[in-house]
Amino acid sequence: KEVAVALSARFNRLASVAAATVGWNTLHLNIVERQTAVLWCPAPPLAMPTGRQAGQAENCWYLDEAGLAVARAPRFSSSPLVVVVGSWPSASSSTPTINSQPLPRSIFARLLELALSLEGFFQDTPLTGVQVRQITANNASDYEFYLADIHHPDSGFNVIIAREQTTVEILTLLRSVLAVPVFQEELTAGQKLEYLDLRFDRKVFYRFRE
C-alpha cells in the first residue's frame, strides 16, 4: 500500500496502482495510466490575422475522461484533441492544478455526450465526415459546438444550443432543418454553412457564408 500511494503521489498521470506479491521475493505492480480526453482552455483561442486556423490560448490543460486536470498542455498551432473552452464559478478553479475540475463533472460529461451525438447524426447527412473540434461552454447557459472535416478545418460550422435542451430535442430540430428544401438547395449548391442556432424553441436560425 505504501508503494502504491508513493507512486500515485509521484506520477500524476496514474489512474490506479495495484500491488501484489509473486512468490517470496517479487512485487508485481499493475499500473493504469489516466487517458487524456480533451484539451481545456479557460478562454477561446486567439484568432490568427492571416486567416489560418486559430492558435491555442494560454493556460491550457489536458483533462481526462472525468474532466480532471491531468497535466498542463504545451502550445499547439492546431490542437490534435477536441478543445473545450470555458470555466464555471462553481468549479474548483479557473486556473486549475493537478486533479482539479475546471468544469463541473455533470457539465463535462454532458458536453462529451452531446459531441458524440452530433457527430453520429451528421454521418448520415450531406455534411458527413465532420467532427467536433471545439466546444465552448459559457455560463450564460449556451453551448457552441464547432464541427469541421478534419482535412478542411477552416470550412466548419457551429451548432449553438441552450443548456436545458435534451439530445432528442436537438436532433429533432436538426432533422427538421436539413429536410427544408431551401436549406438543401443552398447546401448542395456548395454554399458553406456558418452556423445552426437551435436555442429558440421550434425555430432554427441558420446562415451560409457569403
Side-chain angles (χ1 to χ4, degrees):
K1 290 182 179 180
E2 290 178 359
V3 171
V5 170
L7 287 173
S8 296
R10 174 65 179 82
F11 301 103
N12 295 313
R13 294 190 69 98
L14 300 186
S16 65
V17 180
T21 55
V22 181
W24 289 97
N25 59 358
T26 303
L27 180 65
H28 182 268
L29 298 174
N30 185 34
I31 294 174
V32 177
E33 187 175 4
R34 294 164 64 183
Q35 299 299 309
T36 301
V38 303
L39 176 70
W40 173 84
C41 297
L46 301 175
M48 300 291 283
T50 58
R52 293 176 293 168
Q53 189 173 3
Q56 182 181 318
E58 298 286 348
N59 301 320
C60 297
W61 285 71
Y62 292 127
L63 304 187
D64 66 11
E65 62 276 3
L68 295 174
V70 176
R72 187 181 293 275
R75 291 182 62 85
F76 299 103
S77 58
S78 176
S79 171
L81 296 170
V82 175
V83 179
V84 177
V85 177
S87 61
W88 245 251
S90 59
S92 58
S93 174
S94 59
T95 54
T97 56
I98 295 294
N99 293 325
S100 64
Q101 188 103 39
L103 293 173
R105 184 165 298 198
S106 60
I107 298 294
F108 183 77
R110 174 67 171 149
L111 293 176
L112 295 188
E113 183 268 328
L114 284 171
L116 289 175
S117 297
L118 290 173
E119 289 180 345
F121 171 82
F122 284 112
Q123 296 315 304
D124 297 323
T125 73
L127 296 167
T128 183
V130 296
Q131 298 176 4
V132 173
R133 304 304 305 151
Q134 181 170 307
I135 305 171
T136 302
N138 63 67
N139 209 30
S141 75
D142 296 340
Y143 298 151
E144 189 168 328
F145 293 79
Y146 179 72
L147 295 98
D149 187 317
I150 194 169
H151 301 295
H152 303 90
D154 295 330
S155 62
F157 60 94
N158 289 304
V159 175
I160 309 169
I161 65 174
R163 186 167 59 187
E164 67 273 8
Q165 287 178 294
T166 67
T167 303
V168 172
E169 291 171 340
I170 293 165
L171 299 186
T172 298
L173 288 170
L174 288 174
R175 290 190 191 96
S176 298
V177 70
L178 263 66
V180 174
V182 174
F183 183 89
Q184 293 177 348
E185 290 175 7
E186 291 184 273
L187 196 60
T188 55
Q191 297 282 357
K192 292 184 178 180
L193 181 63
E194 185 172 338
Y195 67 79
L196 291 161
D197 193 340
L198 315 180
R199 295 173 294 174
F200 304 98
D201 195 19
R202 299 180 182 179
K203 297 180 180 179
V204 177
F205 293 89
Y206 66 88
R207 179 177 176 177
F208 285 90
R209 297 185 184 91
E210 296 180 357

